[in-house]
Amino acid sequence: MSKDGTDKAASTENRFVSAGFAAVVVIALIVFAASLMVFYTQVFDLRDARREHSFLLRLSGSARAAAGFADDEARSLSDFDIQMRRINPHYIAWLTVGGTAIDYPVVRGSDNIRYLDTSFFGEHNTFGTLFMDYRNKGDFVPQIIIYGHHTRHGNKFSDLHLFLDESFKQENNTITLLVNDRVVEYEIFAARLTDIHDYAYFLHFSFQGAFEAFVYRNNAPPGAQQIITLSTCVTRGDDDERVIVQGVLR
């Protein structure tokens, strides 16, 4: 090959190398920009989620304090419910779990998707809102399921994993719901790492003995009238693993 031919081949090769390098740089910049956008979205969402929570905690404080006084309990909780439903008509209860930072309002939407990334104020937020399974309808249901995100910031349902420690579970075994004008308590009897196929998510009790079978399958105390199941992801990923904590109505 002539010198000119060699030079042309080298020049062509250099152009390919330069183009390939430029493509890699562009892809890297796109990935970096996307990662930066996700980071800042989470930063702002976390800020908004904390502000919202702080406001709602202040709103709930007087109602919960009054719940310790029999004469004022029903009226105070009823007024609190009215206030919360003015903010969000999907509000259904206030949930606290002893020994944890779980102290949040619970909503029930028309599906189990909306509140995965919607705040209590109805704004888009990746931290979402604690929500009851939309199938939990009626004056009394034998099994209540409440979902919430696991986050590395320690909010929402992140603390559910603490109950995987048996000693922690024994020392902190109360789940409390403020619902309508009542304070309802549940005693925690189980916590486990599982997946979305666990029998704990069963909600169809249409035939005689179905709930008794459910109680037995979940190792709940015999004679249980109602079970509450709290469910969260193990991470923020899309895998099927879950941590669940279950309590029985006292």
Side-chain angles (χ1 to χ4, degrees):
M1 180 182 291
S2 66
K3 184 175 182 300
D4 288 344
T6 301
D7 290 343
K8 287 180 181 178
S11 177
T12 300
E13 182 179 351
N14 288 337
R15 285 199 299 273
F16 278 124
V17 169
S18 297
F21 178 74
V24 170
V25 170
V26 169
I27 292 172
L29 288 174
I30 291 173
V31 171
F32 175 74
S35 300
L36 198 62
M37 184 178 298
V38 170
F39 171 76
Y40 278 109
T41 296
Q42 290 194 343
V43 167
F44 289 121
D45 280 358
L46 178 61
R47 178 203 64 187
D48 292 343
R50 284 175 171 168
R51 286 178 177 174
E52 176 187 88
H53 189 215
S54 178
F55 170 80
L56 293 173
L57 279 175
R58 290 196 301 272
L59 192 63
S60 70
S62 59
R64 289 188 293 177
F69 303 95
D71 292 343
D72 298 330
E73 178 180 339
R75 178 185 171 190
S76 297
L77 293 183
S78 179
D79 290 345
F80 174 62
D81 272 4
I82 292 171
Q83 283 183 297
M84 294 297 282
R85 288 194 175 97
R86 282 174 180 164
I87 299 172
N88 186 331
H90 290 157
Y91 171 77
I92 196 73
W94 189 283
L95 172 73
T96 58
V97 181
T100 75
I102 298 172
D103 194 11
Y104 292 95
V106 179
V107 296
R108 183 181 62 209
S110 58
D111 56 45
N112 289 340
I113 302 297
R114 175 178 178 180
Y115 284 100
L116 287 171
D117 57 7
T118 301
S119 75
F120 187 79
F121 290 156
E123 301 167 348
H124 183 272
N125 190 295
T126 55
F127 292 91
T129 306
L130 302 189
F131 62 95
M132 187 178 292
D133 195 292
Y134 76 99
R135 294 168 294 177
N136 285 151
K137 296 177 181 177
D139 294 333
F140 183 87
V141 293
Q143 145 96 318
I144 294 172
I145 304 178
I146 298 176
Y147 307 94
H149 281 309
H150 168 96
T151 81
R152 60 188 176 88
H153 304 286
N155 56 357
K156 304 303 178 181
F157 266 174
S158 299
D159 280 354
L160 287 188
H161 77 279
L162 296 173
F163 291 94
L164 298 177
D165 182 316
E166 184 63 28
S167 61
F168 182 88
K169 180 165 70 71
Q170 290 179 356
E171 294 172 5
N172 305 277
N173 65 349
T174 302
I175 298 169
T176 304
L177 282 181
L178 301 184
V179 53
N180 296 324
D181 57 356
R182 296 176 296 127
V183 180
V184 184
E185 289 190 345
Y186 301 84
E187 183 173 351
I188 295 172
F189 66 86
R192 60 184 178 272
L193 180 65
T194 184
D195 59 43
I196 59 174
H197 306 292
D198 195 290
Y199 195 63
Y201 295 104
F202 186 79
L203 277 173
H204 302 288
F205 306 109
S206 56
F207 61 91
Q208 186 68 27
F211 184 66
E212 288 79 3
F214 177 81
V215 168
Y216 177 79
R217 290 275 304 265
N218 283 275
N219 294 316
Q225 298 299 305
Q226 186 182 61
I227 289 174
I228 187 170
T229 299
L230 311 181
S231 172
T232 190
C233 296
V234 175
T235 68
R236 284 286 296 186
D238 295 326
D239 56 61
D240 290 343
E241 284 190 307
R242 298 290 185 271
V243 170
I244 61 171
V245 174
Q246 293 179 290
V248 62
L249 180 66
R250 282 178 173 165

